[in-house]
Amino acid sequence: MVMDDVNISYLTGFGAKESWLLVAGGGSFYITDARYTLEAQEGLRGSGVRVVQFKDSCAEAAVKLARRNGVRVLGIDERHL
């Protein structure tokens, strides 16, 4: 789980804003809210990164995605939590 905008931008080539990036065996998911969904979809088109819009909580969306993709261990950088 990548939570730092600078690291997300480096990994995706897209200028991240208030988002998280989940990298799992089932793919990579850019998790953001409604303010940035369209911009992210356009900016990440063709990258293989799927954009997921969260409704209530970014953390809740990340947990659901991780479970759906069989993630058993989730690594996070505590400096960017």
Side-chain angles (χ1 to χ4, degrees), residues 2 4-17 21 30:
V2 184
D4 180 57
D5 290 345
V6 172
N7 292 338
I8 294 170
S9 294
Y10 175 79
L11 292 169
T12 65
F14 175 70
K17 295 178 190 157
L21 180 69
Y30 184 91

Side-chain angles (χ1 to χ4, degrees), residues 13-39:
F14 175 70
K17 295 178 190 157
E18 298 184 38
S19 59
W20 291 3
L21 180 69
L22 173 66
V23 180
S28 297
F29 304 90
Y30 184 91
I31 308 165
T32 192
D33 66 24
R35 295 174 296 167
Y36 303 111
T37 301
L38 293 175
E39 182 181 346

Side-chain angles (χ1 to χ4, degrees), residues 40-81:
Q41 288 171 338
E42 288 181 21
L44 293 167
R45 185 173 294 142
S47 69
V49 177
R50 289 179 255 173
V51 177
V52 176
Q53 179 180 316
F54 70 86
K55 291 178 179 48
D56 297 323
S57 159
C58 193
E60 185 178 319
V63 168
K64 287 179 182 178
L65 280 169
R67 285 183 180 152
R68 277 190 233 139
N69 285 277
V71 174
R72 301 183 101 193
V73 177
L74 185 64
I76 57 173
D77 182 351
E78 65 185 29
R79 293 172 295 169
H80 301 287
L81 183 59

